[in-house]
Amino acid sequence: MSQSSQPRPTKVTPLSGFPEYLPEQRVVEQHFLDVIRSTFELHGFPSIETRAVEPVERLLGKGGDADKEIYAVSRLAADLEAGGDAELGLHFDLTVPFARYVVEHAGRLSFPFRRHQIQKVWRGERPQEGRFREFTQCDIDVVDVGELAPHFEAEMPLVMAEIFAQLPLPPMVIQVNNRKIPEGFYAGLGIEDVAGTLRVVDKLDKIGPEAVTELLTGQGLRAEQAEQVLRLASIRTEDTSFVERVRALGVEHPVLDEGLAALAAVIDTGMTNAPGALVADLKIARGLDYYTGTVYETQLIGYEEWGSFCSGGRYDSLASDGRTTYPGVGISIGLSRLLALLFAKDLVRATRKTPAAVLVAVIDEDSRPVSVRVATSLRGRGIACEVAPSAAKFGKQIRYAERRGIPFVWFPGAGEGGDQVKDIRSGEQVDAQAGSWQCPAEDLRPRVVRTT
RNA sequence: GUGGGCGUAGCUCAGCUGGUAGAGCAUCGCGUUGUGGUCGCGAGGGUCGCGGGUUCAAGUCCCGUCGCUCACCCCA
């Protein structure tokens, strides 16, 4: 009866494509973020953050059918009042905002300008496994004025290879191509629709060579052209031998030569500095609308069907203010997709779901200040801990710790001369002093470990 | 945007050809006076996505709608 006067709570329903993590998953995410950030910094990439919104006009500027992807942002009241078009949209990547940032702050930046950026992005696409509407990207880019030295194209994947090597992941391989190779090759074959051809070639892994041949001839390619296109696409080498294999196909074009030289330089650098991390794969397409040179794509070996977890490439005109052109090269980790795979397949796990290493037990509420003092002392030495929420029976306090994975329970005044601490995994309980007890290093904070 | 599948407790699901809801797991409590995990007993928790229709009666049939999911498209 009186219930009817209470506002009914809005029903909670899941929102597809907007992932939220449990604390134990967040431990994993934060560890990954820590490794990514520190490695970016180790390579001298300072951090920036851009606003979440850009003018819709700017977001649409990059071609493609971006309009389907963009979430418009406007005041609710503005919609009701004017019904006007939204002028702002949430960014769907970090490259567009970065390009705008470069132009806007060009006068205060030093070029070549390198930066890293770790932020959420939003895309209005249909969510699927590993594809979200809100997700986190971790980008590094280098941008210069007028010209960009090609060696930066070799630097990008080295940074990523270093990150992957530090994370508890199955082996990953960064596949590299240079857009100029297929472009020059196709031009040498007399194929005009480069983008259309690449789009089909990109499906090779998914639908197989026969279906690709069918699609290519359907697009107007002659049988021998389609055959050559497939031959090029099938080339994949861990060293620079791809150059000879392309040459052996007998197609010649100056743009092809440029592409081969550029890719050979990237692979060469990779072989020296990150052996085994890079592979030249001539079917990689990526971002048809804007990449102009090197392109990167990354797969987890054994989980190829999940797609790329880290991709990027070179833009001859990342940004432009009309008079000056800023070429750039960048690469980005799709952290959310990576985590989605790891969680779905249970490949990694956090050793516990709370930062606390110690639960300080409470004897009774009157002695809570004693327990708080213990906690303060432990924290003063960098040992994360919490005080038991209630002076329940010790069994319940231990269970409280156990449920959360807290490895130690501290009992004030339990010993002859003072306190005791119990490792609840082994059951071992020893005398200890809050001012000097050493927490084992591996228990100091939650760790992320591979399960297999 | 297009097409298929599905929407019952926090989670995974059962509920036959319509007769006013169940299991397992999880959570919490108890198993007597301060040391957990096993085990036993018990409890809480559901407008059966929402709206309408057929019927004496709908979780169960019909229509609509919303959501979730898979695939396509695309992927910055």
PDB file of all heavy atoms in Angstrom, chain A residues 294-320:
ATOM      1  N   THR A 294      53.551   1.387 -44.097  1.00  0.00           N
ATOM      2  CA  THR A 294      53.584   0.216 -43.228  1.00  0.00           C
ATOM      3  C   THR A 294      52.241   0.030 -42.514  1.00  0.00           C
ATOM      4  O   THR A 294      51.640   1.002 -42.066  1.00  0.00           O
ATOM      5  CB  THR A 294      54.695   0.396 -42.181  1.00  0.00           C
ATOM      6  OG1 THR A 294      55.924   0.638 -42.858  1.00  0.00           O
ATOM      7  CG2 THR A 294      54.842  -0.833 -41.320  1.00  0.00           C
ATOM      8  N   VAL A 295      51.801  -1.212 -42.444  1.00  0.00           N
ATOM      9  CA  VAL A 295      50.623  -1.530 -41.629  1.00  0.00           C
ATOM     10  C   VAL A 295      50.959  -2.711 -40.715  1.00  0.00           C
ATOM     11  O   VAL A 295      51.744  -3.581 -41.081  1.00  0.00           O
ATOM     12  CB  VAL A 295      49.385  -1.859 -42.485  1.00  0.00           C
ATOM     13  CG1 VAL A 295      48.832  -0.611 -43.147  1.00  0.00           C
ATOM     14  CG2 VAL A 295      49.692  -2.932 -43.514  1.00  0.00           C
ATOM     15  N   TYR A 296      50.359  -2.689 -39.534  1.00  0.00           N
ATOM     16  CA  TYR A 296      50.623  -3.734 -38.538  1.00  0.00           C
ATOM     17  C   TYR A 296      49.319  -4.384 -38.114  1.00  0.00           C
ATOM     18  O   TYR A 296      48.283  -3.730 -38.043  1.00  0.00           O
ATOM     19  CB  TYR A 296      51.259  -3.154 -37.266  1.00  0.00           C
ATOM     20  CG  TYR A 296      52.301  -2.117 -37.469  1.00  0.00           C
ATOM     21  CD1 TYR A 296      51.987  -0.771 -37.365  1.00  0.00           C
ATOM     22  CD2 TYR A 296      53.621  -2.476 -37.747  1.00  0.00           C
ATOM     23  CE1 TYR A 296      52.954   0.202 -37.519  1.00  0.00           C
ATOM     24  CE2 TYR A 296      54.593  -1.505 -37.902  1.00  0.00           C
ATOM     25  CZ  TYR A 296      54.252  -0.163 -37.790  1.00  0.00           C
ATOM     26  OH  TYR A 296      55.210   0.797 -37.943  1.00  0.00           O
ATOM     27  N   GLU A 297      49.436  -5.647 -37.786  1.00  0.00           N
ATOM     28  CA  GLU A 297      48.305  -6.377 -37.233  1.00  0.00           C
ATOM     29  C   GLU A 297      48.895  -7.464 -36.346  1.00  0.00           C
ATOM     30  O   GLU A 297      49.955  -7.993 -36.641  1.00  0.00           O
ATOM     31  CB  GLU A 297      47.500  -6.971 -38.375  1.00  0.00           C
ATOM     32  CG  GLU A 297      46.291  -7.744 -37.951  1.00  0.00           C
ATOM     33  CD  GLU A 297      45.380  -8.065 -39.140  1.00  0.00           C
ATOM     34  OE1 GLU A 297      45.016  -7.129 -39.860  1.00  0.00           O
ATOM     35  OE2 GLU A 297      45.082  -9.247 -39.328  1.00  0.00           O
ATOM     36  N   THR A 298      48.196  -7.794 -35.254  1.00  0.00           N
ATOM     37  CA  THR A 298      48.796  -8.707 -34.282  1.00  0.00           C
ATOM     38  C   THR A 298      47.825  -9.797 -33.886  1.00  0.00           C
ATOM     39  O   THR A 298      46.680  -9.507 -33.544  1.00  0.00           O
ATOM     40  CB  THR A 298      49.208  -7.927 -33.018  1.00  0.00           C
ATOM     41  OG1 THR A 298      50.000  -6.824 -33.412  1.00  0.00           O
ATOM     42  CG2 THR A 298      49.984  -8.820 -32.074  1.00  0.00           C
ATOM     43  N   GLN A 299      48.283 -11.025 -33.935  1.00  0.00           N
ATOM     44  CA  GLN A 299      47.431 -12.136 -33.525  1.00  0.00           C
ATOM     45  C   GLN A 299      48.070 -12.917 -32.384  1.00  0.00           C
ATOM     46  O   GLN A 299      49.286 -13.017 -32.290  1.00  0.00           O
ATOM     47  CB  GLN A 299      47.193 -13.086 -34.698  1.00  0.00           C
ATOM     48  CG  GLN A 299      46.309 -12.487 -35.766  1.00  0.00           C
ATOM     49  CD  GLN A 299      46.104 -13.438 -36.927  1.00  0.00           C
ATOM     50  OE1 GLN A 299      46.944 -14.288 -37.184  1.00  0.00           O
ATOM     51  NE2 GLN A 299      44.989 -13.297 -37.614  1.00  0.00           N
ATOM     52  N   LEU A 300      47.189 -13.454 -31.559  1.00  0.00           N
ATOM     53  CA  LEU A 300      47.643 -14.383 -30.548  1.00  0.00           C
ATOM     54  C   LEU A 300      47.663 -15.750 -31.194  1.00  0.00           C
ATOM     55  O   LEU A 300      46.645 -16.218 -31.704  1.00  0.00           O
ATOM     56  CB  LEU A 300      46.658 -14.393 -29.373  1.00  0.00           C
ATOM     57  CG  LEU A 300      47.249 -14.090 -28.015  1.00  0.00           C
ATOM     58  CD1 LEU A 300      46.956 -12.650 -27.701  1.00  0.00           C
ATOM     59  CD2 LEU A 300      46.676 -14.988 -26.956  1.00  0.00           C
ATOM     60  N   ILE A 301      48.802 -16.397 -31.126  1.00  0.00           N
ATOM     61  CA  ILE A 301      48.928 -17.686 -31.793  1.00  0.00           C
ATOM     62  C   ILE A 301      48.015 -18.699 -31.115  1.00  0.00           C
ATOM     63  O   ILE A 301      48.028 -18.868 -29.890  1.00  0.00           O
ATOM     64  CB  ILE A 301      50.396 -18.161 -31.774  1.00  0.00           C
ATOM     65  CG1 ILE A 301      51.215 -17.202 -32.644  1.00  0.00           C
ATOM     66  CG2 ILE A 301      50.512 -19.588 -32.288  1.00  0.00           C
ATOM     67  CD1 ILE A 301      52.710 -17.390 -32.527  1.00  0.00           C
ATOM     68  N   GLY A 302      47.198 -19.341 -31.933  1.00  0.00           N
ATOM     69  CA  GLY A 302      46.222 -20.280 -31.402  1.00  0.00           C
ATOM     70  C   GLY A 302      44.833 -19.679 -31.249  1.00  0.00           C
ATOM     71  O   GLY A 302      43.867 -20.387 -31.012  1.00  0.00           O
ATOM     72  N   TYR A 303      44.755 -18.344 -31.356  1.00  0.00           N
ATOM     73  CA  TYR A 303      43.467 -17.668 -31.210  1.00  0.00           C
ATOM     74  C   TYR A 303      43.261 -16.686 -32.371  1.00  0.00           C
ATOM     75  O   TYR A 303      42.744 -15.585 -32.177  1.00  0.00           O
ATOM     76  CB  TYR A 303      43.388 -16.939 -29.867  1.00  0.00           C
ATOM     77  CG  TYR A 303      43.579 -17.876 -28.698  1.00  0.00           C
ATOM     78  CD1 TYR A 303      44.846 -18.083 -28.138  1.00  0.00           C
ATOM     79  CD2 TYR A 303      42.506 -18.594 -28.178  1.00  0.00           C
ATOM     80  CE1 TYR A 303      45.028 -18.971 -27.087  1.00  0.00           C
ATOM     81  CE2 TYR A 303      42.680 -19.476 -27.129  1.00  0.00           C
ATOM     82  CZ  TYR A 303      43.944 -19.659 -26.583  1.00  0.00           C
ATOM     83  OH  TYR A 303      44.112 -20.534 -25.557  1.00  0.00           O
ATOM     84  N   GLU A 304      43.660 -17.126 -33.558  1.00  0.00           N
ATOM     85  CA  GLU A 304      43.619 -16.233 -34.708  1.00  0.00           C
ATOM     86  C   GLU A 304      42.206 -15.735 -35.013  1.00  0.00           C
ATOM     87  O   GLU A 304      42.032 -14.638 -35.526  1.00  0.00           O
ATOM     88  CB  GLU A 304      44.200 -16.934 -35.946  1.00  0.00           C
ATOM     89  CG  GLU A 304      45.701 -17.170 -35.879  1.00  0.00           C
ATOM     90  CD  GLU A 304      46.093 -18.367 -35.014  1.00  0.00           C
ATOM     91  OE1 GLU A 304      45.186 -19.086 -34.550  1.00  0.00           O
ATOM     92  OE2 GLU A 304      47.302 -18.589 -34.813  1.00  0.00           O
ATOM     93  N   GLU A 305      41.217 -16.572 -34.671  1.00  0.00           N
ATOM     94  CA  GLU A 305      39.854 -16.181 -35.021  1.00  0.00           C
ATOM     95  C   GLU A 305      39.366 -14.973 -34.219  1.00  0.00           C
ATOM     96  O   GLU A 305      38.351 -14.378 -34.545  1.00  0.00           O
ATOM     97  CB  GLU A 305      38.897 -17.367 -34.838  1.00  0.00           C
ATOM     98  CG  GLU A 305      38.644 -17.779 -33.397  1.00  0.00           C
ATOM     99  CD  GLU A 305      39.755 -18.676 -32.842  1.00  0.00           C
ATOM    100  OE1 GLU A 305      40.775 -18.867 -33.541  1.00  0.00           O
ATOM    101  OE2 GLU A 305      39.603 -19.175 -31.716  1.00  0.00           O
ATOM    102  N   TRP A 306      40.108 -14.614 -33.185  1.00  0.00           N
ATOM    103  CA  TRP A 306      39.718 -13.440 -32.397  1.00  0.00           C
ATOM    104  C   TRP A 306      40.143 -12.147 -33.082  1.00  0.00           C
ATOM    105  O   TRP A 306      39.863 -11.063 -32.592  1.00  0.00           O
ATOM    106  CB  TRP A 306      40.311 -13.514 -30.995  1.00  0.00           C
ATOM    107  CG  TRP A 306      39.492 -14.371 -30.082  1.00  0.00           C
ATOM    108  CD1 TRP A 306      39.350 -15.727 -30.151  1.00  0.00           C
ATOM    109  CD2 TRP A 306      38.690 -13.945 -28.985  1.00  0.00           C
ATOM    110  NE1 TRP A 306      38.505 -16.152 -29.165  1.00  0.00           N
ATOM    111  CE2 TRP A 306      38.090 -15.092 -28.433  1.00  0.00           C
ATOM    112  CE3 TRP A 306      38.417 -12.695 -28.412  1.00  0.00           C
ATOM    113  CZ2 TRP A 306      37.228 -15.036 -27.344  1.00  0.00           C
ATOM    114  CZ3 TRP A 306      37.564 -12.641 -27.313  1.00  0.00           C
ATOM    115  CH2 TRP A 306      36.982 -13.806 -26.791  1.00  0.00           C
ATOM    116  N   GLY A 307      40.883 -12.255 -34.145  1.00  0.00           N
ATOM    117  CA  GLY A 307      41.270 -11.049 -34.869  1.00  0.00           C
ATOM    118  C   GLY A 307      42.505 -10.410 -34.279  1.00  0.00           C
ATOM    119  O   GLY A 307      43.274 -11.038 -33.556  1.00  0.00           O
ATOM    120  N   SER A 308      42.667  -9.147 -34.599  1.00  0.00           N
ATOM    121  CA  SER A 308      43.878  -8.433 -34.214  1.00  0.00           C
ATOM    122  C   SER A 308      43.732  -7.751 -32.862  1.00  0.00           C
ATOM    123  O   SER A 308      42.705  -7.150 -32.558  1.00  0.00           O
ATOM    124  CB  SER A 308      44.217  -7.390 -35.280  1.00  0.00           C
ATOM    125  OG  SER A 308      45.352  -6.657 -34.890  1.00  0.00           O
ATOM    126  N   PHE A 309      44.765  -7.873 -32.058  1.00  0.00           N
ATOM    127  CA  PHE A 309      44.766  -7.242 -30.735  1.00  0.00           C
ATOM    128  C   PHE A 309      45.592  -5.972 -30.716  1.00  0.00           C
ATOM    129  O   PHE A 309      45.669  -5.288 -29.693  1.00  0.00           O
ATOM    130  CB  PHE A 309      45.323  -8.207 -29.691  1.00  0.00           C
ATOM    131  CG  PHE A 309      44.476  -9.411 -29.497  1.00  0.00           C
ATOM    132  CD1 PHE A 309      44.670 -10.547 -30.249  1.00  0.00           C
ATOM    133  CD2 PHE A 309      43.446  -9.392 -28.572  1.00  0.00           C
ATOM    134  CE1 PHE A 309      43.863 -11.661 -30.081  1.00  0.00           C
ATOM    135  CE2 PHE A 309      42.633 -10.496 -28.394  1.00  0.00           C
ATOM    136  CZ  PHE A 309      42.848 -11.639 -29.161  1.00  0.00           C
ATOM    137  N   CYS A 310      46.260  -5.702 -31.803  1.00  0.00           N
ATOM    138  CA  CYS A 310      47.182  -4.575 -31.803  1.00  0.00           C
ATOM    139  C   CYS A 310      47.468  -4.243 -33.262  1.00  0.00           C
ATOM    140  O   CYS A 310      47.998  -5.082 -33.982  1.00  0.00           O
ATOM    141  CB  CYS A 310      48.468  -4.983 -31.080  1.00  0.00           C
ATOM    142  SG  CYS A 310      49.785  -3.786 -31.136  1.00  0.00           S
ATOM    143  N   SER A 311      47.069  -3.073 -33.688  1.00  0.00           N
ATOM    144  CA  SER A 311      47.284  -2.760 -35.096  1.00  0.00           C
ATOM    145  C   SER A 311      47.514  -1.271 -35.285  1.00  0.00           C
ATOM    146  O   SER A 311      47.313  -0.465 -34.376  1.00  0.00           O
ATOM    147  CB  SER A 311      46.094  -3.231 -35.929  1.00  0.00           C
ATOM    148  OG  SER A 311      44.894  -2.717 -35.416  1.00  0.00           O
ATOM    149  N   GLY A 312      47.962  -0.942 -36.482  1.00  0.00           N
ATOM    150  CA  GLY A 312      48.260   0.459 -36.756  1.00  0.00           C
ATOM    151  C   GLY A 312      48.939   0.591 -38.095  1.00  0.00           C
ATOM    152  O   GLY A 312      48.887  -0.314 -38.924  1.00  0.00           O
ATOM    153  N   GLY A 313      49.610   1.707 -38.280  1.00  0.00           N
ATOM    154  CA  GLY A 313      50.282   1.918 -39.548  1.00  0.00           C
ATOM    155  C   GLY A 313      50.712   3.358 -39.738  1.00  0.00           C
ATOM    156  O   GLY A 313      50.657   4.169 -38.807  1.00  0.00           O
ATOM    157  N   ARG A 314      51.156   3.615 -40.939  1.00  0.00           N
ATOM    158  CA  ARG A 314      51.648   4.937 -41.279  1.00  0.00           C
ATOM    159  C   ARG A 314      50.596   5.729 -42.041  1.00  0.00           C
ATOM    160  O   ARG A 314      49.926   5.191 -42.922  1.00  0.00           O
ATOM    161  CB  ARG A 314      52.902   4.822 -42.151  1.00  0.00           C
ATOM    162  CG  ARG A 314      53.460   6.178 -42.539  1.00  0.00           C
ATOM    163  CD  ARG A 314      54.494   6.081 -43.629  1.00  0.00           C
ATOM    164  NE  ARG A 314      54.839   7.429 -44.089  1.00  0.00           N
ATOM    165  CZ  ARG A 314      55.976   8.056 -43.764  1.00  0.00           C
ATOM    166  NH1 ARG A 314      56.862   7.461 -43.004  1.00  0.00           N
ATOM    167  NH2 ARG A 314      56.193   9.280 -44.204  1.00  0.00           N
ATOM    168  N   TYR A 315      50.488   6.994 -41.684  1.00  0.00           N
ATOM    169  CA  TYR A 315      49.635   7.920 -42.413  1.00  0.00           C
ATOM    170  C   TYR A 315      50.524   8.999 -42.995  1.00  0.00           C
ATOM    171  O   TYR A 315      51.239   9.658 -42.241  1.00  0.00           O
ATOM    172  CB  TYR A 315      48.670   8.668 -41.511  1.00  0.00           C
ATOM    173  CG  TYR A 315      47.888   7.884 -40.509  1.00  0.00           C
ATOM    174  CD1 TYR A 315      48.489   7.323 -39.386  1.00  0.00           C
ATOM    175  CD2 TYR A 315      46.509   7.775 -40.645  1.00  0.00           C
ATOM    176  CE1 TYR A 315      47.735   6.653 -38.448  1.00  0.00           C
ATOM    177  CE2 TYR A 315      45.753   7.121 -39.707  1.00  0.00           C
ATOM    178  CZ  TYR A 315      46.373   6.557 -38.615  1.00  0.00           C
ATOM    179  OH  TYR A 315      45.623   5.903 -37.677  1.00  0.00           O
ATOM    180  N   ASP A 316      50.458   9.189 -44.297  1.00  0.00           N
ATOM    181  CA  ASP A 316      51.227  10.300 -44.862  1.00  0.00           C
ATOM    182  C   ASP A 316      50.673  11.642 -44.420  1.00  0.00           C
ATOM    183  O   ASP A 316      51.410  12.606 -44.254  1.00  0.00           O
ATOM    184  CB  ASP A 316      51.251  10.214 -46.396  1.00  0.00           C
ATOM    185  CG  ASP A 316      52.228   9.146 -46.864  1.00  0.00           C
ATOM    186  OD1 ASP A 316      53.137   8.811 -46.088  1.00  0.00           O
ATOM    187  OD2 ASP A 316      52.074   8.655 -47.999  1.00  0.00           O
ATOM    188  N   SER A 317      49.376  11.693 -44.216  1.00  0.00           N
ATOM    189  CA  SER A 317      48.813  12.938 -43.684  1.00  0.00           C
ATOM    190  C   SER A 317      47.912  12.617 -42.507  1.00  0.00           C
ATOM    191  O   SER A 317      46.696  12.551 -42.636  1.00  0.00           O
ATOM    192  CB  SER A 317      48.059  13.705 -44.764  1.00  0.00           C
ATOM    193  OG  SER A 317      47.041  12.912 -45.304  1.00  0.00           O
ATOM    194  N   LEU A 318      48.553  12.385 -41.369  1.00  0.00           N
ATOM    195  CA  LEU A 318      47.809  12.155 -40.135  1.00  0.00           C
ATOM    196  C   LEU A 318      46.944  13.373 -39.844  1.00  0.00           C
ATOM    197  O   LEU A 318      45.789  13.267 -39.474  1.00  0.00           O
ATOM    198  CB  LEU A 318      48.790  11.931 -38.980  1.00  0.00           C
ATOM    199  CG  LEU A 318      48.161  11.837 -37.590  1.00  0.00           C
ATOM    200  CD1 LEU A 318      47.492  10.485 -37.410  1.00  0.00           C
ATOM    201  CD2 LEU A 318      49.202  12.038 -36.505  1.00  0.00           C
ATOM    202  N   ALA A 319      47.568  14.544 -40.005  1.00  0.00           N
ATOM    203  CA  ALA A 319      46.850  15.786 -39.736  1.00  0.00           C
ATOM    204  C   ALA A 319      47.335  16.830 -40.714  1.00  0.00           C
ATOM    205  O   ALA A 319      48.408  16.712 -41.306  1.00  0.00           O
ATOM    206  CB  ALA A 319      47.126  16.251 -38.301  1.00  0.00           C
ATOM    207  N   SER A 320      46.511  17.850 -40.835  1.00  0.00           N
ATOM    208  CA  SER A 320      46.888  18.950 -41.712  1.00  0.00           C
ATOM    209  C   SER A 320      46.106  20.185 -41.320  1.00  0.00           C
ATOM    210  O   SER A 320      44.936  20.092 -40.958  1.00  0.00           O
ATOM    211  CB  SER A 320      46.599  18.590 -43.173  1.00  0.00           C
ATOM    212  OG  SER A 320      46.817  19.730 -43.989  1.00  0.00           O
TER     213      SER A 320
END
